[in-house]
Amino acid sequence: VERTGRPLTRGFYEGDVRDIAPQLLGKLLVHGERAGRIVEVEAYGGAEDPASHAYRGRTRRNGAMFGPPGYLYVYFTYGMHWCANVVCAPEGNPQAALIRALSPVSGLPAMRAARPAARNDRHLTNGPARLCQALGITGALDGTDLLVGEVRILDDGAVPPDDPEVSPRIGVRQGTDLLWRWSVAGDEHVSAPR
DNA sequence: CTTTGGATCGTCT
DNA sequence: GACGATCCAAAGG
């Protein structure tokens, strides 16, 4: 299976997460032979965002958010789930884009093996914790470089949608007025709110 | 199909 | 000691 594409430049990640997040739609998230196309993302960060893990300052967990852009921020939640973010903005400015859903591209057998609970392939990567389980992304990869690390984001020339669906973020209790979620309209792999 | 409760533990107060 | 940037199975319509 083909996994062509080049890593995005460091500069791509240096801007504001609200500009970068929708540009991540269509890019490939790759871990070994497993890869998926990003179809849903959310933006977190900034002093104005009470939903961000960085809202109350730097802690042991959110350290990667305060680091340089283009790195992974992987966090553990609900006692059992991992979720993956792309660190954005210059170092010291804690911003990150949560990858919420992928359209599987390669390594499907490995994904199915990693997610026995998935009833079908549509349930393989349609959620932030599900896609991490499918691709084998855990806290061991927190803080790794997306340009040269084990997990990468590649640009294979796919163009982000001109008119992504825009909506409030899922699962947050604060900042529900902010429309910081972007998804590929009509894609069956986009996650569904509770 | 939708709704609901439970799992489970690292992190921060 | 409380609470998650969630997911799953079971139960009900």
Side-chain angles (χ1 to χ4, degrees), chain A residues 167-184:
Chain A
S167 61
R169 293 169 294 181
I170 306 284
V172 301
R173 302 193 50 133
Q174 311 221 26
T176 53
D177 54 317
L178 304 173
L179 303 179
W180 287 6
R181 175 176 179 246
W182 295 267
S183 58
V184 177

Side-chain angles (χ1 to χ4, degrees), chain A residues 11-22 24 42-49 51-55 57-58 62-75 84-99 142 146 169 180 182:
Chain A
F12 176 91
Y13 299 103
E14 269 176 1
D16 190 283
V17 65
R18 289 164 292 180
D19 298 323
I20 297 168
L24 289 170
E42 287 177 353
Y44 287 88
E48 64 204 295
D49 181 14
S52 170
H53 286 168
Y55 186 59
R58 186 173 194 153
N62 66 20
M65 283 188 77
F66 290 78
Y71 285 73
L72 261 188
Y73 166 45
V74 183
Y75 69 88
N85 297 254
V86 176
V87 176
C88 297
E91 182 167 2
N93 184 346
Q95 300 189 356
L98 172 67
I99 309 298
D142 180 44
L146 287 164
R169 293 169 294 181
W180 287 6
W182 295 267

